[in-house]
Amino acid sequence: MVNFLSQLAWVIYPYLSFSLMVIGVVYRFRNRPLTITSKSSELLERRNLAWGSRAFHYGIIFVILGHFAGLFVPLSFLHSIGVSDYLNFIVSVLAGGVFGIMAWIGLAILIGRRLLIKRVRVTSNFADTYVLILLLVIMSFGLSLTLGYDPLYGSLAYNTAMSNISQWITGFFLFHPDAAYMSTVPLIFKIHILISFLLYPSIPFTRLTHIFTTPVRYLYRKPIVFRSIEGQNTNSEAMNTLRFK
Ligand code: HEM
């Protein structure tokens, strides 16, 4: 029974989650390409969006890069370039803590804005709020690891947990998953990861679908100004979109 639950949690459920995401993304890009959007609400409210969105996006991009580094760069490689387990631990906690808090505060601003500003609230649907709350739960568990578990239990516990998670997730992406690696991982890590599997299938069906476009340009592109002169839209990005259509 324990073995079945472990297979369910660390093999069946994650593959189901990722498969739904991939099928959903392919379907949406092939059949409804013109609906792929982050559904910007900038026209409804700008000040909180500017702060919340920037803090969230800059923070989460570095958190995700940190996940890739922590999960896919082998400890043996770090040792070979002179990075000790302790240094790895300190850098992970500091970088994860700073960017995690930044993303969390940005997200809290975005949620407050969506729920408290009437014109944003009344134009939101269930999915808009659902993904924000889900992200908040996932990130709160993540931060409780970085700012709570790690300082409490130290570098040995951190490196052991990371090494097990890393071996499980590498096997998962190479299609020979071994749920046994997750059996000794502390519960709070497991909760963080299991809840994140609710997020992936919702990506193609919500505004998060914009992740699969080129969100990198959002960070540095000039603001898009929409105005019309004699019935013509002068915005070059919008013109490009029209040409593409
Ligand atoms: C399979 C997917 C995931 C795995 C295996 C995973 C794993 C982890 C681990 C092991 C930590 C703790 C690092 C530490 O102890 O210092 C962590 C922290 C964190 N995670 Fe995740 N995570 C996943 C998905 C996500 C997602 C989807 C998000 C949000 C979009 C997220 C956001 C965070 C945040 C904000 C932190 C705290 C900051 C940091 O240490 O990077 N995680 N994650």
Side-chain angles (χ1 to χ4, degrees), residues 18 60 63-64 67 71 92-93 96-97 100 103 135 138-139 142-143 145-146 149-150 158 162 165 168-169 189 192-193 196-197 199-200:
F18 274 94
I60 204 69
V63 164
I64 289 168
H67 276 59
L71 294 170
S92 305
V93 172
L135 277 169
I138 297 169
M139 288 165 56
L143 269 179
L145 290 166
T146 311
Y149 180 91
D150 292 352
Y158 166 81
M162 288 303 278
I165 298 170
W168 160 73
I169 203 164
F189 284 82
H192 170 68
I193 299 167
S196 85
F197 290 126
L199 184 73
Y200 313 123

Side-chain angles (χ1 to χ4, degrees), residues 89-140:
F89 168 72
I90 294 293
V91 171
S92 305
V93 172
L94 287 180
V98 168
F99 290 114
I101 290 174
M102 190 171 162
W104 196 95
I105 291 174
L107 187 62
I109 296 173
L110 293 177
I111 293 176
R113 170 184 180 272
R114 193 152 291 278
L115 297 179
L116 300 177
I117 296 178
K118 195 175 170 205
R119 56 203 320 215
V120 181
R121 186 176 66 243
V122 297
T123 50
S124 302
N125 60 27
F126 171 76
D128 297 336
T129 315
Y130 169 79
V131 284
L132 290 179
I133 303 285
L134 188 56
L135 277 169
L136 187 74
V137 176
I138 297 169
M139 288 165 56
S140 301

Side-chain angles (χ1 to χ4, degrees), residues 71-89:
L71 294 170
F72 298 110
V73 176
L75 281 179
S76 55
F77 171 76
L78 294 181
H79 295 159
S80 74
I81 56 167
V83 177
S84 68
D85 285 352
Y86 188 68
L87 181 62
N88 176 37
F89 168 72

